[in-house]
Amino acid sequence: MFELTDHRLRQREYLLQISRAITAQLDVTSVLSLVIGYAVEMLAGNSGLIALYDDDGGDELRVRASAGLPRDVWPAFAPLLALQLEETAHERLRETLRDISTDTGLNLRQLIALPLTIRDTPIGVIYVFRAALNVAFSADDRQVLQAFADQAAIAVSNARLYQGVLREKQRLDAMIEQSADGVMILDNRWRITTFNKAMEQLTGWPREEAIGRPCAEVLGFHNSQGREICPADCPLQNLPHVPNPVVEGWITTRDGRELYLQSRYAPQRGARGTFLGAIANVRDITDQKREEELQSTFVSVISHELKTPVSIIKGYAGTLAREDATWSQETLRDGLRVIEEEADRLARQIQDLLDVSRVQAGGLRLELTDWPLPPLAQEVAHGFAAQTDAQFAFELRFPDDFPPVHADYERIRMVLTNLVSNAVKYSPDGGTIRIGGWAEDGRAIIHVADQGIGIPPEEQQRIFERFYRVDNRLRRETQGSGLGLFLTRSIIEAHGGRIWVESQVGRGSRFIFTLPLAPRRLEVHDS
Ligand code: ADP
């Protein structure tokens, strides 16, 4: 009686240890080793095995843990594992055990085996062997083994659930990591816990440094005037009822770029609306933002530029048409000349606008012919010499054998006119304006140089952008829409050429562009 109680106590103690091991560690093999070790001991066996079917539902058993059986004898048990459980009481079983004993030198006389099941689905088998012939396994032994089998099944089930969750997490992590959008996850104090590769690229922050910091520190949104957005206008803090709040703004990346980002949040809230965390999708919308800004610049520049000639025309026309005044012939002529000039200017502006929209639609069509460039340069220079005062001198520098170019005559006239007009506009103290060129590597290189105010190095790229005008004193004093160089560059590039500027502030600027040369023809002389 005492012995039996002791036995039960031991069994309880072992099962308790196993269930502790199951909760403390997720390594299923060591839990299974513990289970089979205790089971063998409790059943006074001399060895035992636990074999499982593969995760993917295959019907072949494989040994996963053993007690009293070294690993190198496991393969010898394959014929036993191949038997159906119902067969274990039959003659075939005895034969199989005998064969394994002979093969391995182990003494296996009796066997008890039970299926491991998770929710009625078989997942494996537990086997315990005895060496002695005289004591047969009893119904009581089966009950004891059943308790251990149940524990083993729980351990396997937990481990599989854990593996499943782990796999799912790895899949989600990979999806977040590979997402083209920036993705970051925030905890309940707005600190970053996940920061994907796209976020690193967007912000210039390495993930190791970004993680753990408040998102406001890493993103640091500000508006175009430089005012910080996060402290006062955080939508996660201020708009608790909005399901997907959005914040937009400029950021200065760690490597010094200015980007306009849009961050869309999916907050998680607790039962009483407490903030638990959020996942944010972050996108770079700098190009869209710049385009929007350009559109509004467009409207203001254009309305100003078009209004000026119109009001001059209207003013002169109104004055000349007054019935209470008589004008001398000279005044009339001057007035009409101004009207004509302003009407021309208006027409040029409209032409520029049409060209800009053509360039944007990708439809700048060229009429390419072969012609000599110096006479055109001369004509443009003459035109300006006639309009400007003695402060300006014009010089042409082309070699006599300058070869013909292969280009659109009217468009290149526009290019030269633009460049010379700028040279005049941005030389408030006059000076010499030189137009020249040479041929090199099968292309023409043409330049227009002035001795004007010059262009600071950081502006030299930007002046070719749409509507871009350098912010200096002359910007207010000179008329312009910032379209001239944009169109000039588009025309040169449509010819397959390139344009750039060399300039020194206070010394002057030199615009240089390339054009294709006319293909050389064989000259045929009649004899
Ligand atoms: P716009 O002259 O109508 O402003 P452009 O596109 O022709 O527009 O030129 C863009 C800007 O580049 C000008 O506003 C001016 O600030 C600068 N720029 C162009 N040409 C010169 C030049 N020759 N010297 C100095 N600055 C120039």
Side-chain angles (χ1 to χ4, degrees), residues 137-447:
F137 282 113
S138 64
D140 209 30
D141 289 337
R142 288 189 88 77
Q143 241 176 30
V144 172
L145 189 61
Q146 187 63 58
F148 286 101
D150 290 347
Q151 293 296 76
I154 291 171
V156 173
S157 160
N158 276 3
R160 287 189 179 165
L161 282 175
Y162 176 74
Q163 288 301 332
V165 171
L166 199 69
R167 261 201 305 275
E168 192 58 20
K169 181 175 179 325
Q170 282 164 345
R171 213 169 61 87
L172 286 177
D173 283 352
M175 271 163 64
I176 289 178
E177 181 61 11
Q178 299 307 327
S179 161
D181 280 352
V183 177
M184 64 174 184
I185 300 179
L186 308 178
D187 69 9
N188 61 347
R189 291 167 63 197
W190 298 281
R191 280 176 317 209
I192 297 168
T193 59
T194 298
F195 200 73
N196 76 347
K197 193 160 66 204
M199 277 312 282
E200 291 190 311
Q201 283 158 359
L202 279 178
T203 62
W205 278 77
R207 152 179 347 187
E208 313 79 68
E209 288 186 50
I211 286 176
R213 285 181 203 260
C215 65
E217 189 183 329
V218 172
L219 284 183
F221 280 118
H222 52 82
N223 67 11
S224 50
Q225 283 83 47
R227 191 181 67 81
E228 285 183 47
I229 293 174
C230 296
D233 297 330
C234 174
L236 279 178
Q237 299 183 37
N238 299 352
L239 304 172
H241 35 274
V242 177
N244 287 108
V246 176
V247 63
E248 278 185 18
W250 291 99
I251 70 155
T252 310
T253 65
R254 249 200 159 181
D255 41 344
R257 293 166 293 143
E258 284 292 310
L259 291 184
Y260 194 84
L261 301 187
Q262 183 188 62
S263 187
R264 187 178 286 275
Y265 299 93
Q268 290 132 23
R269 299 198 182 270
R272 289 201 203 90
T274 44
F275 179 71
L276 301 177
I279 177 157
N281 266 56
V282 184
R283 278 196 308 149
D284 176 5
I285 53 167
T286 314
D287 288 346
Q288 265 161 271
K289 182 70 184 170
R290 291 236 157 93
E291 193 57 34
E292 262 170 41
E293 284 179 352
L294 271 185
Q295 294 303 345
S296 65
T297 317
F298 180 83
V299 173
S300 57
V301 167
I302 292 318
S303 47
H304 173 257
E305 284 294 304
L306 295 184
K307 249 162 55 193
T308 314
V310 170
S311 53
I312 296 175
I313 291 170
K314 188 166 163 40
Y316 270 84
T319 311
L320 294 183
R322 269 167 63 180
E323 285 181 0
D324 58 343
T326 33
W327 306 110
S328 68
Q329 274 300 318
E330 201 190 341
T331 317
L332 267 178
R333 230 191 345 263
D334 281 351
L336 289 173
R337 188 181 43 77
V338 173
I339 290 177
E340 193 184 4
E341 277 171 14
E342 293 300 317
D344 283 348
R345 210 172 103 193
L346 199 55
R348 271 200 310 275
Q349 304 273 15
I350 292 170
Q351 186 57 44
D352 274 3
L353 286 178
L354 287 176
D355 282 342
V356 167
S357 57
R358 265 192 215 118
V359 167
Q360 279 180 284
L364 194 66
R365 229 178 275 131
L366 301 178
E367 278 188 35
L368 297 173
T369 50
D370 301 342
W371 44 273
L373 191 126
L376 176 66
Q378 191 161 33
E379 188 189 316
V380 172
H382 271 151
F384 278 94
Q387 289 171 34
T388 50
D389 51 32
Q391 274 185 307
F392 284 100
F394 290 86
E395 257 184 44
L396 290 186
R397 287 189 178 174
F398 287 95
D400 289 342
D401 59 351
F402 191 78
V405 293
H406 182 66
D408 183 319
Y409 186 83
E410 281 310 319
R411 299 270 184 209
I412 298 303
R413 179 206 289 279
M414 196 173 142
V415 165
L416 287 173
T417 307
N418 260 330
L419 293 178
V420 177
S421 150
N422 279 350
V424 171
K425 261 199 314 197
Y426 301 107
S427 301
D429 303 324
T432 303
I433 292 171
R434 289 192 182 86
I435 313 175
W438 67 92
E440 191 183 282
D441 296 337
R443 44 188 200 156
I445 299 177
I446 299 130
H447 55 86

Side-chain angles (χ1 to χ4, degrees), residues 422-423 425-426 450 453-455 463 468-470 472 479-486 509 511:
N422 279 350
K425 261 199 314 197
Y426 301 107
D450 63 53
I453 57 170
I455 303 159
I463 53 173
Y468 194 79
R469 307 195 71 204
V470 179
N472 54 24
Q479 285 175 336
S481 53
L483 288 179
L485 285 180
F486 171 72
S509 311
F511 285 84

Side-chain angles (χ1 to χ4, degrees), residues 50-125:
I50 294 181
L52 299 180
Y53 297 109
D54 279 339
D55 259 4
D56 50 21
D59 56 3
E60 207 177 310
L61 283 169
R62 274 199 304 132
V63 179
R64 291 303 189 82
S66 69
L69 297 172
R71 248 171 197 275
D72 53 330
V73 302
W74 289 3
F77 286 82
L80 175 66
L81 304 190
L83 290 181
Q84 298 297 316
L85 271 190
E86 306 82 64
E87 294 176 280
T88 48
H90 299 103
E91 186 54 31
R92 267 194 69 196
L93 169 73
R94 264 190 288 280
E95 270 170 32
T96 313
L97 277 185
R98 215 178 299 126
D99 291 348
I100 298 175
S101 297
T102 324
D103 279 358
T104 59
L106 295 164
N107 189 7
L108 311 171
R109 293 290 176 79
Q110 283 188 47
L111 164 71
I112 178 168
L114 282 182
L116 307 180
T117 55
I118 299 176
R119 271 169 262 108
D120 295 335
T121 309
I123 58 159
V125 181

